Amino acid sequence: MTWTIVGHKPIKGKGRVEEAMKQVSKDNVTEIELKNIITHGKTGAVDGTLLYENGKVLSFCNIFNFTGAGKNSKINEIASYVISLS
């Protein structure tokens, strides 16, 4: 598994990705707005905004590539585009 946050070095390996996600989630998100969720075959994407307890606002788009097109497929790659709005 690989997670690439655009502008940063890719994070490789399931365990490393899990640890990185834990670090990202340390800030308290108070609101999530999902604008679009798109799926087709082995690819999916979601975009929206995150509002944090400290007032920070981020706009994001995550693109997911899965190992297959079935509902039990695992995530193979994630590409994240993040822009600070505050």
Side-chain angles (χ1 to χ4, degrees):
M1 174 177 210
T2 302
W3 182 23
T4 303
I5 302 170
V6 175
H8 299 273
K9 187 177 180 180
I11 302 162
K12 296 184 179 195
K14 182 180 175 184
R16 288 184 177 165
V17 169
E18 287 174 348
E19 283 303 312
M21 288 185 174
K22 286 178 187 175
Q23 292 298 317
V24 170
S25 67
K26 280 186 176 179
D27 294 334
N28 291 327
V29 174
T30 58
E31 186 177 321
I32 298 173
E33 178 185 1
L34 300 179
K35 295 179 182 175
N36 296 288
I37 300 171
I38 302 167
T39 63
H40 183 73
K42 296 182 351 180
T43 304
V46 61
D47 76 314
T49 56
L50 300 170
L51 175 61
Y52 289 84
E53 190 173 67
N54 63 6
K56 178 171 66 173
V57 180
L58 296 179
S59 181
F60 69 90
C61 178
N62 293 328
I63 301 167
F64 301 88
N65 288 306
F66 295 87
T67 56
K71 66 181 181 178
N72 294 321
S73 298
K74 306 231 184 268
I75 297 171
N76 192 34
E77 297 176 324
I78 307 169
S80 297
Y81 299 81
V82 182
I83 299 170
S84 178
L85 300 179
S86 59

